[in-house]
Amino acid sequence: MNPIKLLKPVSNRWTVLISFASLAGISQMLWLNFAPLISYLKSHYNVSETDINWLLTVFPLIYILLSIHSGKVIDRKGYRYSILIGGIFMSVFACLRVFDSSFSILLIGQIGIAIGQPYILNAISRLVVDWFPKNQQATATGVGTVGMFIGMAFALATTPYLVNHFGFQQSLIIMAFLTIISTLFFFFVGSPNQTPVQETDIIPSFRNQFTLFKNKQFILLNIISFLGLGVFNGLTSWIEQILKPYGVSSEQAGLVGGSLIIGGIIGSIIIPILSDLVGKRKPFILCTIIFPLLLTYPICTRGHLPILLILGSMLGFFFLPAFPLLLSVTEELVGERQSGAATSLLLMAGNLGAVIVIAAMQIVKGDHSTWIHSVYFVLILLFICCVLTIYLKEKPIIFDEQYNREI
């Protein structure tokens, strides 16, 4: 007896999307849960800060390595298969982290979790196309990415609390339990809405995925993703060091980072909805670049916490919705048949940008006492993004008056 067939009558587009969003959020939680514990982990395992940083940087590095393969799996086997593979990897290796015997075990656990991440996150475009009409896809993608941002916020805000009140190993047990529950939730609810794509409709080889780069608009989207996600990760990674010369403590910098994510959660719901209502993507993508271009310098050169919290919320509100909008434009550009491969390449470009921009900001900072030169550097990158976005072309969105695919 197939449990998916039994539960399919109660599945609809929103429950499927929520089941994906919860698992995507867990992946981000497991990635960033050690970010606020660097000092604790250094003393707990008697390792250096460089060693601890590997717990975080292994994720974008592995994402770059596996992003293309995950896209091939999504297009050939379906998004459900790919997401469950990712969920199983995360569940197994989240449980491995519970054996708090050495730093090596912890790092192996992070590597295993990182392997699962692209097989989950890269599936969002295919899932949204399967369940939602064209004039709701940006909204649905926004809701899916909100789950990721909630996972980030949960990791940064609650991990220190859990460790202080329950202990380190018990906190890892709680996170492993949440991972297993989220994987099971998607297993029972995340059923596909259409028959599997036939083999003749699939990109047949690894090499042919790169035919997407014959499309100049797709190249443009990848460059924007490279720069945009690079700037976002660079700012969030170095925000504590950037604000430190202005008298901002580590705890206060954490609050600023939290305000950015909270603003991004709200913006990732509102702005894609407006984009769907208007039926256009490009003007809203421009807004998600122009406003951060105007807000980045003020937020990186102030020391007054209330102002920083306001600016951080505004920056997140306008910056983070660029992610779901870019995913929607990508799917609309290449079509459903290649959406898995296209999303994988787009996110691979974004993670590559994260690795390079984070390193470049530190190099540009050099021996200077402040990070102002690095701030100028990211402003230049945002300006380039803005110029490139002007050259984007978007297809008109077809408003489906009736959409009968929902069960």
Side-chain angles (χ1 to χ4, degrees), residues 312-324:
S313 300
M314 293 174 62
L315 179 62
F317 181 88
F318 287 105
F319 204 177
L320 296 187
F323 181 63

Side-chain angles (χ1 to χ4, degrees), residues 17-31:
L17 183 61
I18 290 171
S19 69
F20 165 83
S22 66
L23 199 52
I26 291 294
S27 75
Q28 301 302 97
M29 178 195 74
L30 296 175
W31 170 29

